[in-house]
């Protein structure tokens, strides 16, 4: 019953009530809407739902829970990486994909992986510390 060109972001947020994925720029430039689509970080604000049909999608809610947070979620809390938290979904989801592919990244590799994610509060150093912490804990 959904229009095939509807952005995946609207399906997740408005129909499925999965609000961890954020709307920010609407043009796939900031990363707040990032989800994991079959192992790759993708921007859901411009991805038509038809492109995700019958494919594996993981949202922030799928990583962990309040009782059992994913190591990245736990590290972001412990490092107090969020200020306003608009970018946290994109940062965590992008970091998850990166750590799955490179479990022991250098700071330069983490920065490169997050290059397309914007944090308007400037929490980049705390975000970097959180990702390093999660990588250590997973190792």
């Amino acid at each position: 019953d959904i229009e095939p060109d509807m952005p995946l972001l609207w399906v997740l947020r408005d129909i499925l009530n999965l609000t961890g994925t954020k709307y920010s720029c609407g043009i796939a430039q900031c990363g707040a809407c990032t989800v994991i689509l079959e192992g790759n970080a993708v921007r859901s604000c411009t991805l038509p739902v038809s492109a995700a049909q019958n494919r594996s999608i993981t949202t922030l809610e799928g990583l962990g829970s309040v009782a059992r947070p994913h190591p990245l979620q736990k590290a972001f809390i412990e490092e107090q990486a969020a200020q306003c938290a608009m970018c946290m979904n994109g940062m965590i989801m992008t970091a998850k994909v990166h750590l799955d592919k490179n479990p022991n990244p250098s700071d330069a590799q983490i920065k490169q992986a997050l290059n397309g994610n914007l944090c308007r509060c400037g929490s980049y150093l705390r975000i970097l510390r959180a990702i390093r912490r999660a990588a250590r804990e997973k190792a």
Side-chain angles (χ1 to χ4, degrees), residues 25-76:
C25 72
I27 55 173
Q29 297 297 304
C30 72
C33 67
T34 302
V35 297
I36 299 172
L37 180 67
E38 296 194 337
N40 296 300
V42 298
R43 307 297 168 86
S44 65
C45 70
T46 57
L47 184 73
V49 71
S50 59
Q53 185 174 358
N54 298 319
R55 298 176 75 189
S56 172
I57 302 165
T58 304
T59 65
L60 187 65
E61 293 88 350
L63 291 187
S65 65
V66 173
R68 293 193 60 193
H70 183 277
L72 275 164
Q73 293 168 316
K74 184 175 181 248
F76 270 69

Side-chain angles (χ1 to χ4, degrees), residues 102-125:
N102 182 1
N104 189 25
S106 67
D107 286 356
Q109 291 169 321
I110 294 170
K111 289 176 186 178
Q112 179 62 35
L114 296 177
N115 192 36
N117 292 74
L118 301 177
C119 173
R120 288 172 177 86
C121 299
S123 297
Y124 295 109
L125 293 178

